[in-house]
Amino acid sequence: MALASALVLALALIAAPAGASSNKKLDPDQIGNRDVGKGLNFYSIEKEIALGKQMAQEVERDAKIIDDPVISEYVNRVGQNLVRNSDAKVPFTIKVVDSDEVNAFALPGGFFFVNTGLILRASSEAELAGVMAHEIAHVAARHGTRQASRGQMMNIASIPLIFMGGWAGYAVQQAAGLLVPMTFLKFSRGFEEEADLLGLEYMYKTGYDPTAFVDFFEKLQSLEKRKPGTMASVFSTHPPTASRIRDAQKHIQELVKPQAEYIVTTSDFDNVKSRLARLVNRRSLGDQKDANRPTLRRRPDGKIGDESDKSGVDPDERPTLKRRPE
Ligand code: ZN
């Protein structure tokens, strides 16, 4: 009896509109004071962090993490700055993955991986920040565990009640068995739209030009048009569709108050991008010559990189500013 009514209640929660909280969701001034992660969820925050950590360890076992200090420090700095201007309630761990795929993915609990392909394909810090802000939004709104909870609801609905050890028992069992990561990476259309909206607000609040997010999407689309198939893997978990671009443009017009100046890019971004390009280039040359050759050469001071790059940090760190068109 109690279980049956809990099921009805939970199904009602899935279908329920966001209601009053959706107004706050449209107001960037409310960032941090609105519970964007609210919704049916079988996972406590602690359980969510533990689950994300477990999956992150698997990712790090399979993937190659870029350990160049200049690159990882920069990407972490850009990310943490966005996190501070977001609704996220968990600390973030941000790492750069050596992968040509133009993508980034954040696991539940704030374990965030940014592909080298994304950094190399972005033409400004704002473009990179736009994709990162979208990912941070998925974590802030707890999309991974909420989606997993929905999936479990659907499963539960079809499981004979006799096999069930209660809600908590079921969630623990699922977490222990490690769910298919795709459940946590490929989100429903509604969650993608929400992440677009929240991500644009986080960009804006951090001081970036939110239109960079749309520009990047459009650039990727036109690349795909010119060379069909070459970009097939791009944003496989977040395909940049025409409707998403339209919605994002609408959000920018409606929600974001005019701001005189935005950060478009920084000299740090340019430095990191060329440093990364050199690193990737040198590695592929090395691979051709001798597969056993080490991919990175460590200098006596422990830094990785060529000698011409004295510090990797430009003393002139002032961001490039773009005046907003009237
Ligand atoms: Zn997404």
Side-chain angles (χ1 to χ4, degrees), residues 7-326:
L7 186 72
V8 170
L9 175 70
L11 285 170
L13 278 171
I14 291 175
S21 66
S22 66
N23 292 333
K24 274 190 164 184
K25 222 176 271 175
L26 300 178
D27 183 1
D29 291 337
Q30 294 294 324
I31 289 172
N33 300 317
R34 45 191 196 174
D35 200 359
V36 298
K38 207 167 61 185
L40 172 77
N41 203 325
F42 296 147
Y43 299 80
S44 65
I45 281 282
E46 293 74 25
K47 209 171 279 175
E48 178 168 324
I49 292 171
L51 178 67
K53 193 175 180 181
Q54 197 181 350
M55 289 193 288
Q57 281 166 353
E58 299 207 358
V59 169
E60 290 191 40
R61 214 175 44 209
D62 293 341
K64 187 172 168 289
I65 304 294
I66 297 284
D67 60 1
D68 180 287
V70 175
I71 296 166
S72 51
E73 185 276 329
Y74 167 78
V75 174
N76 187 54
R77 176 154 42 91
V78 169
Q80 300 296 352
N81 205 10
L82 289 162
V83 170
R84 268 194 298 280
N85 289 287
S86 80
D87 295 292
K89 300 269 196 286
V90 292
F92 271 66
T93 309
I94 305 171
K95 296 190 174 172
V96 180
V97 174
D98 189 354
S99 165
D100 292 337
E101 192 185 350
V102 184
N103 210 351
F105 58 99
L107 298 169
F111 300 88
F112 190 1
F113 297 93
V114 178
N115 287 1
T116 51
L118 171 64
I119 301 163
L120 291 172
R121 198 71 72 159
S123 52
S124 68
E125 183 171 303
E127 287 188 359
L128 172 65
V131 177
M132 290 181 77
H134 172 95
E135 284 302 316
I136 290 163
H138 277 311
V139 173
R142 306 187 67 197
H143 287 160
T145 49
R146 282 166 68 193
Q147 186 153 285
S149 301
R150 288 179 180 183
Q152 285 163 27
M153 280 301 304
M154 297 310 149
N155 287 337
I156 287 166
S158 64
I159 291 173
L161 295 181
I162 193 163
F163 291 121
M164 294 194 42
W167 300 110
Y170 194 78
V172 168
Q173 193 194 333
Q174 287 288 294
L178 197 67
L179 287 147
V180 181
M182 237 14 216
T183 309
F184 293 97
L185 298 174
K186 180 109 182 141
F187 297 114
S188 71
R189 205 174 135 191
F191 280 168
E192 285 303 340
E193 282 169 10
E194 187 175 59
D196 282 346
L197 168 66
L198 296 175
L200 288 169
E201 292 182 356
Y202 301 161
M203 270 184 98
Y204 166 75
K205 205 185 168 197
T206 310
Y208 291 108
D209 181 355
T211 56
F213 183 65
V214 178
D215 292 346
F216 193 43
F217 260 20
E218 287 181 328
K219 194 169 74 180
L220 293 176
Q221 267 203 331
S222 71
L223 268 168
E224 174 63 35
K225 253 178 223 159
R226 257 183 290 146
K227 276 183 149 187
T230 53
M231 306 287 281
S233 63
V234 169
F235 283 110
S236 54
T237 49
H238 324 257
T241 61
S243 73
R244 278 183 72 191
I245 291 173
R246 264 199 315 276
D247 285 352
Q249 279 166 334
K250 210 175 109 220
H251 287 322
I252 292 168
Q253 282 177 349
E254 285 174 0
L255 313 171
V256 171
K257 290 169 204 156
Q259 195 162 316
E261 285 173 335
Y262 289 117
I263 301 167
V264 176
T265 200
T266 60
S267 55
D268 275 4
F269 172 80
D270 297 333
N271 287 341
V272 161
K273 195 176 156 178
S274 54
R275 191 180 175 92
L276 187 58
R278 280 200 305 271
L279 201 125
V280 170
N281 243 338
R282 191 166 38 199
R283 183 198 53 202
S284 59
L285 286 173
D287 286 349
Q288 281 161 14
K289 275 189 235 158
D290 180 359
N292 292 325
R293 195 170 153 241
T295 53
L296 294 174
R297 287 220 174 138
R298 215 164 262 282
R299 297 198 308 224
D301 60 2
K303 294 208 175 100
I304 298 163
D306 64 41
E307 271 58 42
S308 65
D309 189 0
K310 290 281 178 267
S311 67
V313 178
D314 194 320
D316 181 20
E317 282 196 355
R318 277 174 309 163
T320 308
L321 296 174
K322 186 176 96 177
R323 211 156 270 283
R324 190 187 161 83
E326 298 306 318

